């Protein structure tokens, strides 16, 4: 019950401090006690949400489990214990690392948060990166990918009719990950962007050259989201693919070779000031024709969504501003807000891809009544009942989205600001109605 109350207050005041979001001192004290409770773990906070996520995934033939790491900067919180280094400047930047595992449909529908890992980098380990080849993977930060994969294995076992695909960027190009994925046919598949130019069994060529020599299979267009200094664009890429038998890397020669499939996507004529796309992907899934190669490229495009998730978590929910006294309390706090960040992303998807869905999925009845009053002029222009897309746009306008034709649909940050303003308006409306009834 306390968790639900805390989450409700944070959802309505996403970027505010705990006292402001709680509304009064009694509720704020309850929130602090909850976050201070050592018997409450981030995994327990996430458990019910993850169970619902698995239920949403069960009817789907394919689900993408996308994961990535981000840093949480708490350098200004000098009294917070349990923090570590988050960059290579000793003592300059303190905080935590967060590794998130989220489930998406191949159409990029957010299904939920599957797993979250937190850790603080020990200052005593600074400067030992040159020893990485002599240490077992269990002692390296890269072991996070294997922990994340094992968490996915547990979820996948609950949905035997769903094909789960573990999707990650170049940092996850680990021989141990492919080895673990191919240990049993029922294991989740792996789709990873290549970092290492690996050796190939029985060939003098290495992976990159072998893939480049494969015949061009076709071309597709992919949407490249905007980045700092680069506008969003549609890129035309050429596709190559081939099966490969990857040799074990140096110092791991005793490990068995891995039968994988490689896909390459190279952008044609990228803009002058933009870095062209050049993806080399390795997967445990068979790629026998152009359609299957295109499918794997489309799936990898969904990986951008987890970067949006981390942006919403840090910019929209302001998790880096929390003034808490220990890393354990921060972990509980961030876990609650991670579920709320997923909710905002899910709303964004519904507004774009399911415009005729029920309004009750995103708004409470009193919030809908207030929104109708506030957007009365916009509601008059509708010829029939408002659709979910209309409601999403109205909430976005409350959050600063201009709503012009060229602006497209509201993004998650606009929706988040709009929901916060709508919550304030609804609270004022309910208080006014209560006062009138009492009078």
């Amino acid at each position: 019950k306390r968790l639900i109350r805390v989450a409700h207050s944070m959802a309505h005041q996403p970027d505010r401090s705990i006292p402001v979001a709680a509304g009064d001192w009694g509720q704020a004290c309850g929130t602090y006690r909850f976050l201070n409770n050592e018997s409450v773990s981030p995994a327990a906070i996430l458990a019910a949400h993850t169970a619902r996520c698995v239920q949403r995934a069960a009817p789907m033939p394919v689900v993408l489990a996308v994961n990535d790491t981000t840093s949480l900067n708490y350098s200004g919180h000098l009294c917070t214990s349990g923090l570590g280094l988050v960059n290579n400047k000793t003592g300059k930047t303190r905080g935590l690392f967060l590794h998130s595992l989220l489930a998406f449909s191949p159409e990029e529908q957010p299904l939920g948060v599957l797993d979250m890992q937190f850790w603080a980098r020990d200052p005593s380990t600074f400067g030992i990166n040159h020893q990485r080849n002599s240490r077992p993977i269990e002692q390296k930060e890269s072991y996070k990918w294997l922990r994340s994969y094992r968490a996915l294995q547990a979820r996948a076992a609950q949905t035997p009719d769903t094909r789960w695909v573990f999707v990650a960027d170049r940092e996850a190009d680990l021989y141990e990950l492919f080895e673990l994925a191919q240990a049993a046919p029922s294991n989740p598949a792996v789709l990873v962007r290549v970092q290492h130019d690996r050796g190939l069994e029985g060939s003098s060529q290495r992976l990159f050259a072998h893939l480049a020599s494969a015949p061009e299979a076709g071309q597709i267009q992919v949407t490249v989201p905007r980045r700092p200094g680069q506008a969003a664009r549609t890129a035309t890429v050429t596709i190559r693919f081939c099966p490969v038998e990857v040799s074990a890397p140096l110092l791991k020669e005793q490990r068995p070779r891995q039968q994988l499939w490689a896909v390459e996507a190279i952008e044609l004529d990228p803009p002058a000031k933009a870095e062209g796309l050049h993806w080399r992907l390795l997967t445990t899934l068979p790629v026998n024709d152009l359609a299957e190669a295109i499918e794997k490229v489309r799936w990898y495009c969904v990986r951008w969504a987890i970067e949006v998730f981390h942006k919403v978590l840090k910019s929209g929910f302001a998790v880096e501003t929390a003034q808490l006294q220990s890393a354990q309390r921060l972990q509980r706090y961030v876990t609650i807000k991670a579920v709320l960040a997923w909710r905002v992303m899910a709303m964004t998807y519904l507004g774009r891809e399911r415009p005729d869905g029920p309004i009750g999925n995103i708004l409470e009845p009193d919030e809908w009544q207030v929104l109708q009053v506030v957007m009365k002029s916009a509601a008059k222009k509708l010829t029939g009942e408002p659709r979910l897309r209309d409601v999403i746009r109205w909430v976005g306008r409350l959050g600063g989205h201009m709503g012009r034709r060229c602006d497209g649909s509201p993004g998650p940050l606009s929706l988040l600001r709009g929901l916060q303003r709508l919550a304030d308006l609804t609270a004022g409306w309910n208080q006014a109605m209560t006062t009138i009834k009492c009078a």
Side-chain angles (χ1 to χ4, degrees):
K1 292 180 180 179
R2 174 66 66 185
L3 173 60
I4 293 172
R5 286 197 293 269
V6 170
H8 188 269
S9 65
M10 291 182 180
H12 286 85
Q13 302 286 345
D15 61 348
R16 306 292 175 83
S17 66
I18 290 175
V20 174
D24 59 60
W25 179 238
Q27 291 297 328
C29 287
T31 300
Y32 284 122
R33 283 196 298 270
F34 181 84
L35 297 176
N36 295 347
N37 192 337
E38 294 182 0
S39 66
V40 176
S41 67
I45 293 173
L46 202 59
H49 168 78
T50 300
R52 291 293 301 273
C53 172
V54 172
Q55 290 176 7
R56 286 186 283 267
M60 298 184 177
V62 176
V63 176
L64 308 180
V66 183
N67 55 150
D68 200 8
T69 305
T70 190
S71 60
L72 303 176
N73 189 340
Y74 296 109
S75 297
H77 306 174
L78 301 180
C79 296
T80 301
S81 62
L83 301 180
L85 305 178
V86 293
N87 65 15
N88 292 328
K89 297 180 180 179
T90 306
K92 297 293 184 181
T93 309
R94 300 169 65 248
L96 295 171
F97 284 97
L98 165 63
H99 188 82
S100 308
L101 177 68
L102 271 69
F104 294 89
S105 72
E107 296 76 30
E108 207 170 323
Q109 176 187 356
L111 302 177
V113 182
L114 292 169
D115 186 59
M116 298 177 72
Q117 300 176 48
F118 295 90
W119 72 94
R121 189 175 286 168
D122 188 349
S124 65
T125 63
F126 180 79
I128 67 169
N129 193 43
H130 64 281
Q131 304 173 7
R132 62 186 181 275
N133 290 331
S134 62
R135 289 183 289 140
I137 192 171
E138 291 81 5
Q139 298 178 12
K140 303 177 185 178
E141 279 191 7
S142 55
Y143 192 60
K144 64 189 177 185
W145 301 102
L146 301 186
R147 282 195 295 263
S148 187
Y149 184 85
R150 290 194 171 99
L152 177 60
Q153 281 182 304
R155 309 306 177 194
Q158 302 173 40
T159 54
D161 297 328
T162 299
R163 185 52 160 162
W164 291 82
V165 183
F166 185 89
V167 181
D169 204 356
R170 285 177 290 191
E171 192 183 348
D173 183 12
L174 302 172
Y175 199 80
E176 292 86 351
L177 178 61
F178 295 112
E179 192 175 30
L180 178 61
Q182 301 209 101
S186 60
N187 281 346
V190 168
L191 175 64
V192 170
R193 187 177 174 188
V194 177
Q195 180 180 16
H196 306 293
D197 190 10
R198 298 187 181 279
L200 302 180
E201 194 73 20
S203 174
S204 59
Q205 284 186 322
R206 299 189 75 83
L207 175 60
F208 292 178
H210 182 74
L211 189 51
S213 65
E216 182 181 324
Q219 298 180 0
I220 62 169
Q221 291 186 328
V222 298
T223 301
V224 183
R226 65 183 180 183
R227 292 190 172 187
Q230 296 184 14
R233 69 182 190 276
T234 299
T236 301
V237 300
T238 60
I239 303 294
R240 293 180 173 87
F241 65 92
C242 61
V244 292
E245 193 169 14
V246 177
S247 302
L250 188 66
L251 304 180
K252 301 175 184 177
E253 295 90 342
Q254 74 281 5
R255 295 182 180 272
R257 56 184 179 266
Q258 298 295 317
Q259 181 66 52
L260 305 171
W261 284 262
V263 180
E264 184 175 55
I266 303 178
E267 183 177 2
L268 297 175
D269 301 321
K273 295 184 179 180
E275 182 181 357
L277 294 183
H278 189 180
W279 295 341
R280 300 182 184 96
L281 308 176
L282 277 178
T283 180
T284 58
L285 292 168
V287 182
N288 298 311
D289 52 36
L290 177 60
E292 290 183 345
I294 291 174
E295 179 183 61
K296 306 308 179 288
V297 174
R298 299 288 188 199
W299 288 355
Y300 184 75
C301 288
V302 179
R303 198 204 68 82
W304 277 317
I306 200 166
E307 296 185 8
V308 176
F309 169 76
H310 286 150
K311 180 180 179 180
V312 173
L313 190 61
K314 294 197 281 188
S315 299
F317 283 90
V319 295
E320 293 177 311
T321 65
Q323 299 282 346
L324 295 169
Q325 294 180 346
S326 71
Q328 290 73 24
R329 298 170 189 178
L330 286 170
Q331 291 175 22
R332 301 178 188 110
Y333 177 81
V334 174
T335 302
I336 296 172
K337 290 206 165 183
V339 177
L340 303 177
W342 163 82
R343 173 176 174 262
V344 174
M345 289 187 64
M347 288 177 56
T348 306
Y349 173 86
L350 290 173
R352 294 173 180 173
E353 305 298 331
R354 300 184 181 180
D356 298 318
I359 297 170
N361 284 348
I362 63 170
L363 294 180
E364 298 293 337
D366 55 348
E367 292 177 324
W368 167 233
Q369 293 175 6
V370 172
L371 187 62
Q372 281 183 304
V373 173
V374 174
M375 291 295 170
K376 187 175 182 180
S377 59
K380 287 182 178 179
K381 299 178 182 179
L382 297 178
T383 56
E385 290 293 322
R387 301 179 300 168
L388 180 59
R389 176 179 294 175
D390 300 317
V391 175
I392 292 291
R393 286 178 175 173
W394 294 351
V395 174
R397 285 177 62 179
L398 288 178
H401 187 261
M402 298 299 292
R404 300 168 297 187
R405 291 184 180 180
C406 62
D407 292 329
S409 301
L413 292 181
S414 296
L415 279 181
L416 187 58
R417 290 190 293 266
L419 287 170
Q420 180 176 346
R421 188 178 175 201
L422 180 60
D424 292 337
L425 292 169
T426 304
W429 172 280
N430 290 334
Q431 185 62 43
M433 292 298 100
T434 301
T435 302
I436 292 172
K437 290 179 180 179
C438 293

